[in-house]
């Protein structure tokens, strides 16, 4: 447990960062009134930071860990979103507030040769931090030989901690799935796909079942996201054969909600009554939309993003899901701690679609969730927070008003200046590719200093296990 002195140091480390658990944002705001033409005008530091940084370096364990993942959120995606929403000299109140930062490598392994695959997918990268094992693209918490390996969420639950898994994607998608399931291919969402693609995992073949069936079995205290469609599939074997997976979850004691009002009405979550929020048939719709990237898009007049008119009014936001998950998992120091993973999924999905406004809005969405996590951590004094991504992506800032061999779009930022964004890793109409660069990782709280410098994605697993005391006897 943290001492009073350490808790005060943790709170002090965030005192100057003006963290607020925001619930919304305007699409473009005025950039800070800063004279960038003078010496030091663009400085981000305010005086010597040595004391502030030293106060942020705290060893030992924490009761709780919150891990936030921006899927596909490389440095380029963060910079694009910051430029647009806050201005070039601006700062995100969440993503840019964590006091300790580093970089980590993300390569996966070739399943046959066991050599590095330099451009990984979300399944292999998620498996790396969830289990500590490098694996192949498509693997969901199995190692390169196909052997299931325990996830952080499973280990935390086994130790008696409370657990949560939140995403704006389908809950069967790679990032949430790596904490709850073990299959050879990420596409094995339900019994139908599992029989066809992962027959060794099918219940009728003695396997663990599809991703959705395993998610129900894993039984996190709080599970929130999309993917309701797969829960309508019927079990083809096992105790619940002939019943839908949703009916199975209900009969096994889950509190199932499908909108923001239903989620707000939940008062408690535990192993007797875990919460399952299914807020969309597939992935949750994004908050912002804008112009399509075109071969000549950079030459067009710069425009601003707009709110997504098709965003359901009753869909909970990522920050609302994050705040609710924290409130349900937190036992106010009188009970066990918790492990919570939160994913902003559609930064990646909109980058694949070359949709700049979509990916920017989802980055802002994640920033709000980070603010909520940090606000709780500052109050609690015994929580570590980590923010990172699974892999880098396509989008790049290029010369304003230019065109490239790829596809470009021209946006008007908070600086009231044009920003041209380029997508050039696939043909028009195809899915833009991931890229293989190292990624930013940021942390706050006990043990966060272990992410400073250059680490690997698997180091994050080791760091979180050490902070929570996983792998030791249940306390």
């Amino acid at each position: 447990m943290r001492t009073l002195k350490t808790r005060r140091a943790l709170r002090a480390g965030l005192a100057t960062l003006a963290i607020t658990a925001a619930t919304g944002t305007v699409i473009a705001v005025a950039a800070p009134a800063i004279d960038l033409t003078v010496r030091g005008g663009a400085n981000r530091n305010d005086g010597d930071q040595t004391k502030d940084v030293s106060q942020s370096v705290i060893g030992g364990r924490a009761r709780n860990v919150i891990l936030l993942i921006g899927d596909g959120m490389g440095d380029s995606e963060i910079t694009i979103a910051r430029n647009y929403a806050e201005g070039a000299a601006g700062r995100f109140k969440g993503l840019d507030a964590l006091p300790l930062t580093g970089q980590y490598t993300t390569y996966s392994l070739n399943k046959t040769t066991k050599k590095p695959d330099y451009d990984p997918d979300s399944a292999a990268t998620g498996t790396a931090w969830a289990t500590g094992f490098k694996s192949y693209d498509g693997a969901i918490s199995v190692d390169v030989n196909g052997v299931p390996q325990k996830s952080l969420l499973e280990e935390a639950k086994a130790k008696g901690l409370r657990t949560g898994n939140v995403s704006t994607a389908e809950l069967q998608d790679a990032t949430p799935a790596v904490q709850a399931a073990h299959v050879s291919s990420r596409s094995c969402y339900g019994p139908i796909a599992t029989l066809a693609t992962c027959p060794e995992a099918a219940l009728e073949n003695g396997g663990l079942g599809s991703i959705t069936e395993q998610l129900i079995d894993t039984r996190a205290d709080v599970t929130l996201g999309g993917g309701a469609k797969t829960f309508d599939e019927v079990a083809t074997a096992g105790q619940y054969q002939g019943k839908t997976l949703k009916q199975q979850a209900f009969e096994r004691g889950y509190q199932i909600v499908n909108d923001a009002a239903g989620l707000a009405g939940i008062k408690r979550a535990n192993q007797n009554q875990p919460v399952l929020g299914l807020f969309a048939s597939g992935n949750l719709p994004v908050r912002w939309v804008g112009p399509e990237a075109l071969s000549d898009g950079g030459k067009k007049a710069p425009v601003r993003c707009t709110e997504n008119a098709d965003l359901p009014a009753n869909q909970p936001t990522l920050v609302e899901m994050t705040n609710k998950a924290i409130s349900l998992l937190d036992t106010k120091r009188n009970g066990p701690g918790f492990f919570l993973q939160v994913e902003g999924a559609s930064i990646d999905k909109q980058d694949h679609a070359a949709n700049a406004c979509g990916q920017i809005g989802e980055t802002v969405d994640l920033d709000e969730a980070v603010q909520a996590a940090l606000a709780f951590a500052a109050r609690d004094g015994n929580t570590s927070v980590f923010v990172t991504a699974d892999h880098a992506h396509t989008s790049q800032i290029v010369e304003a008003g230019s065109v490239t061999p790829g596809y470009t779009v021209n946006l008007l930022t908070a600086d009231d200046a044009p920003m041209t964004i380029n997508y050039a890793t696939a043909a028009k109409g195809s899915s833009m590719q991931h890229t293989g660069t190292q990624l930013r990782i940021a942390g706050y709280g006990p043990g966060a200093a272990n992410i400073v410098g250059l680490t690997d994605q698997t180091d994050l697993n080791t760091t979180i296990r050490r902070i929570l005391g996983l792998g030791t006897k249940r306390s």
Side-chain angles (χ1 to χ4, degrees):
M1 299 292 288
R2 305 260 62 81
T3 66
L4 178 60
K5 180 179 179 181
T6 302
R7 287 178 182 163
R8 284 173 176 168
L10 281 164
R11 294 186 182 109
L14 288 179
T16 62
L17 298 177
I19 294 170
T20 57
T23 57
T25 184
V26 295
I27 292 183
V29 296
I34 298 172
D35 186 352
L36 300 176
T37 66
V38 300
R39 176 182 291 168
N43 284 5
R44 293 186 179 275
N45 284 344
D46 182 15
D48 191 316
Q49 302 297 299
T50 304
K51 182 178 179 180
D52 289 342
V53 172
S54 65
Q55 285 184 334
S56 300
V57 178
I58 298 171
R61 295 182 180 178
R63 287 182 74 253
N64 314 308
V65 168
I66 305 173
L67 171 61
L68 299 106
I69 304 295
D71 199 311
M73 188 181 70
D75 283 347
S76 184
E77 284 69 32
I78 295 172
T79 307
I80 287 169
R82 186 193 300 115
N83 285 353
Y84 180 83
E86 305 291 342
R91 182 185 294 271
F92 278 126
K93 295 182 179 67
L95 291 171
D96 295 328
L98 291 97
L100 300 171
T101 61
Q103 296 280 312
Y104 70 14
T105 50
T106 66
Y107 61 91
S108 56
L109 298 178
N110 181 284
K111 188 176 183 180
T112 303
T113 68
K114 311 298 193 287
K115 292 184 178 181
D117 178 343
Y118 301 112
D119 188 22
D121 79 338
S122 296
T125 53
T127 294
W129 76 68
T131 71
F133 284 80
K134 289 284 187 186
S135 197
Y136 59 90
D137 288 358
I140 297 294
S141 288
V142 297
D143 63 24
V144 75
N145 297 309
V147 179
Q149 301 294 337
K150 290 291 185 183
S151 71
L152 286 168
L153 189 149
E154 290 172 313
E155 288 196 71
K157 186 168 180 278
K159 190 173 175 63
L161 302 182
R162 295 161 66 76
T163 56
N165 198 356
V166 174
S167 178
T168 57
E170 297 166 303
L171 288 169
Q172 304 84 0
D173 204 10
T175 302
V178 296
Q179 297 292 358
H182 309 272
V183 292
S184 59
S185 175
R186 61 182 293 177
S187 64
C188 297
Y189 278 24
I192 297 171
T194 302
L195 272 172
T197 307
C198 312
E200 76 287 347
L203 291 177
E204 44 265 77
N205 294 330
L208 296 172
S210 65
I211 291 173
T212 307
E213 290 166 307
Q214 291 187 55
L215 183 151
I216 296 170
D217 285 339
T218 297
R219 205 173 179 87
D221 295 289
V222 179
T223 305
L224 308 175
K229 180 180 179 180
T230 303
F231 279 86
D232 290 333
E233 287 192 26
V234 174
T236 54
Q239 180 181 351
Y240 296 92
Q241 183 176 357
K243 296 182 178 180
T244 68
L245 305 185
K246 185 176 181 180
Q247 180 65 24
Q248 178 186 157
F250 177 77
E251 291 185 13
R252 295 176 70 174
Y254 279 86
Q255 303 175 79
I256 302 174
V257 295
N258 57 21
D259 59 21
L263 181 61
I266 296 291
K267 302 303 181 185
R268 63 183 59 86
N270 52 45
Q271 284 301 288
N272 291 326
Q273 291 185 300
V275 174
L276 175 61
L278 300 172
F279 304 117
S281 176
N283 302 311
L284 273 63
V286 300
R287 65 191 289 174
W288 290 355
V289 295
E292 180 183 9
L294 301 169
S295 59
D296 63 347
K299 291 183 177 179
K300 298 183 180 296
V303 298
R304 299 198 190 277
C305 304
T306 58
E307 297 282 356
N308 181 5
D310 296 326
L311 188 68
N314 61 352
Q315 175 184 297
T317 64
L318 183 57
V319 71
E320 289 171 344
M321 291 193 289
T322 301
N323 274 323
K324 188 66 175 182
I326 291 171
S327 70
L328 291 171
L329 295 174
D330 180 32
T331 55
K332 313 299 183 188
R333 301 194 184 96
N334 296 320
F338 65 81
F339 170 74
L340 170 63
Q341 178 177 288
V342 176
E343 181 199 23
S346 287
I347 303 167
D348 166 83
K349 299 179 191 308
Q350 299 306 306
D351 217 328
H352 278 304
N355 181 354
C357 284
Q359 79 181 54
I360 291 169
E362 297 309 287
T363 309
V364 171
D365 221 32
L366 181 67
D367 178 67
E368 293 170 0
V370 175
Q371 291 179 55
L374 287 174
F376 168 78
R379 294 192 305 270
D380 178 69
N382 203 2
T383 298
S384 296
V385 178
F386 296 95
V387 181
T388 189
D390 48 358
H391 54 74
H393 224 303
T394 287
S395 58
Q396 295 177 310
I397 301 170
V398 295
E399 185 70 27
S402 68
V403 295
T404 71
Y407 305 93
T408 50
V409 63
N410 209 12
L411 299 180
L412 190 63
T413 72
D415 295 310
D416 203 30
M419 176 174 64
T420 302
I421 303 165
N422 175 59
Y423 299 87
T425 59
K428 187 66 174 176
S430 299
S431 180
M432 295 293 162
Q433 297 183 41
H434 301 165
T435 55
T437 62
Q438 62 194 39
L439 293 172
R440 174 185 181 184
I441 177 170
Y444 163 79
N450 290 286
I451 57 93
V452 172
L454 180 64
T455 61
D456 182 73
Q457 218 153 35
T458 53
D459 284 295
L460 180 57
N461 175 272
T462 304
T463 295
I464 293 176
R465 291 177 79 250
R466 183 186 299 118
I467 291 169
L468 290 176
L470 305 183
T472 61
K473 290 184 179 181
R474 179 171 175 166
S475 56

